[in-house]
Amino acid sequence: MFRNARRLLLGPLLAVCASGAVLTIDAGAAPAFDGGTGEITGIVKADGATRASATNAVGRVDTVRAETRVVIKCRVNGQYVKGTVGNSTQWDLLSTGKFLAHANVQTSATIPACPEPVTAPMAPAGPLATTSNAAFLAAAVAPARASQYEFKVPASVTLAQAILESGWGKSKLSVNDRNYFGMKCFGNPGTIAIGCHDYVTTECDQATQTCFTTTATFRVYHSPTDSFRDHGKQLATLTRYKAAFNYPNNPNQFAAEIHKAGYATDLTYTDKLVGIMVKYNLYQYDLP
């Protein structure tokens, strides 16, 4: 009886993450391939967090405690992390679909590289409050291109919208809430933003060709990168913007289509975007 009780006490424990995912904890297990299933496992050696992308710049998804046993699908290159196991740019894609810095994971197995779509630009840092327009643009190019890679939104359009909507990163919305595109909450912040914030703003009625002052609720982001990604995701997933994606290689028409679909109430929104793209030759940043 006592031997069986001891076996139960030393057996694997289960931890339920905030998302509902179950991680197996086995403090005495050696990281390797899992019981002939072909799965690669590792032991987390320090408390940390899983992320939606391979960087600490995005918000945490779940907390992972030290000595947690995780199942690893493949590896990607991401943000450089100094950890308890080592220092590395490697991030592990877990069976939960989230990323964990490999610098804190112990495993004796060889982890294969993830397929190319996963190793595409991984959540660049994005622009913060900057001292010049040139610095803002230089910082915004990488996340704009990452959005084009993932969501097919022309980088030139993303850059023009970020410049126009945020006033080159100097608006209260971008400085305080990392919101570079005037993204509104509409009842909830969605799956990427972390909250909502009310601001007085100007809206226009296209039917009457008049503008007025009102209060609107805008999304708040953990990082600028999240703002860029949420912008691309919204354009790619909302059906009202579907027509724009008939013009992935025509940024001017793409801009006109999202305006027509109701992205902004500014009556001259398309002209402003195209003017910015032309003036700063933003087309040069579009992926081939």
Side-chain angles (χ1 to χ4, degrees):
M1 178 181 296
F2 291 105
R3 180 176 299 175
N4 290 337
R6 183 174 182 272
R7 183 178 301 165
L8 289 173
L9 288 172
L10 293 179
L13 303 177
L14 295 178
V16 181
C17 300
S19 64
V22 178
L23 298 176
T24 305
I25 302 175
D26 190 345
F33 283 90
D34 188 19
T37 65
E39 293 180 331
I40 300 172
T41 63
I43 301 297
V44 180
K45 304 307 292 184
D47 290 352
T50 59
R51 308 280 178 176
S53 297
T55 173
N56 288 323
V58 299
R60 66 175 55 212
V61 177
D62 284 313
T63 298
V64 182
R65 299 300 182 188
E67 302 307 320
T68 297
R69 177 174 170 269
V70 294
V71 176
I72 303 169
K73 296 175 62 177
C74 55
R75 58 179 169 81
V76 302
N77 288 323
Q79 180 184 358
Y80 180 78
V81 175
K82 295 181 179 180
T84 56
V85 176
N87 304 332
S88 178
T89 58
Q90 178 177 322
W91 286 67
D92 298 332
L93 178 60
L94 305 182
S95 59
T96 59
K98 305 305 177 184
F99 294 90
L100 182 66
H102 187 72
N104 292 315
V105 178
Q106 178 186 354
T107 179
S108 59
T110 300
I111 303 172
C114 294
E116 185 63 24
V118 180
T119 57
M122 298 301 298
L128 300 173
T130 56
T131 56
S132 70
N133 293 353
F136 177 88
L137 180 58
V141 168
R145 283 179 161 175
S147 179
Q148 181 174 0
Y149 185 95
E150 184 174 6
F151 299 112
K152 312 306 180 187
V153 179
S156 54
V157 174
T158 298
L159 291 169
Q161 286 192 277
I163 290 169
L164 179 60
E165 297 283 355
S166 74
W168 293 94
K170 296 179 176 65
S171 69
K172 288 184 178 180
L173 189 59
S174 57
V175 172
N176 297 337
D177 302 320
R178 282 76 60 192
N179 185 333
Y180 291 83
F181 300 93
M183 298 277 285
K184 295 178 180 176
C185 275
F186 297 113
N188 68 79
T191 59
I192 297 178
I194 59 175
C196 304
H197 193 169
D198 290 343
Y199 282 95
V200 175
T201 185
T202 299
E203 302 283 359
C204 299
D205 187 332
Q206 295 194 22
T208 62
Q209 299 285 295
T210 58
C211 299
F212 53 92
T213 300
T214 186
T215 298
T217 303
F218 294 87
R219 298 185 183 189
V220 179
Y221 295 96
H222 175 78
S223 70
T225 295
D226 286 352
S227 176
F228 274 71
R229 189 166 186 272
D230 202 18
H231 166 264
K233 179 183 178 183
Q234 175 169 277
L235 293 182
T237 57
L238 292 184
T239 55
R240 64 176 175 168
Y241 297 120
K242 184 177 180 180
F245 290 88
N246 292 325
Y247 306 96
N249 299 315
N250 186 340
N252 291 6
Q253 190 60 40
F254 191 101
E257 293 297 331
I258 63 173
H259 182 203
K260 188 188 306 181
Y263 186 94
T265 61
D266 185 339
L267 305 178
T268 60
Y269 194 71
T270 298
D271 293 337
K272 289 179 179 178
L273 290 182
V274 173
I276 292 171
M277 287 190 283
V278 171
K279 181 176 181 178
Y280 299 100
N281 187 23
L282 300 184
Y283 309 109
Q284 65 182 302
Y285 302 113
D286 287 327
L287 295 176

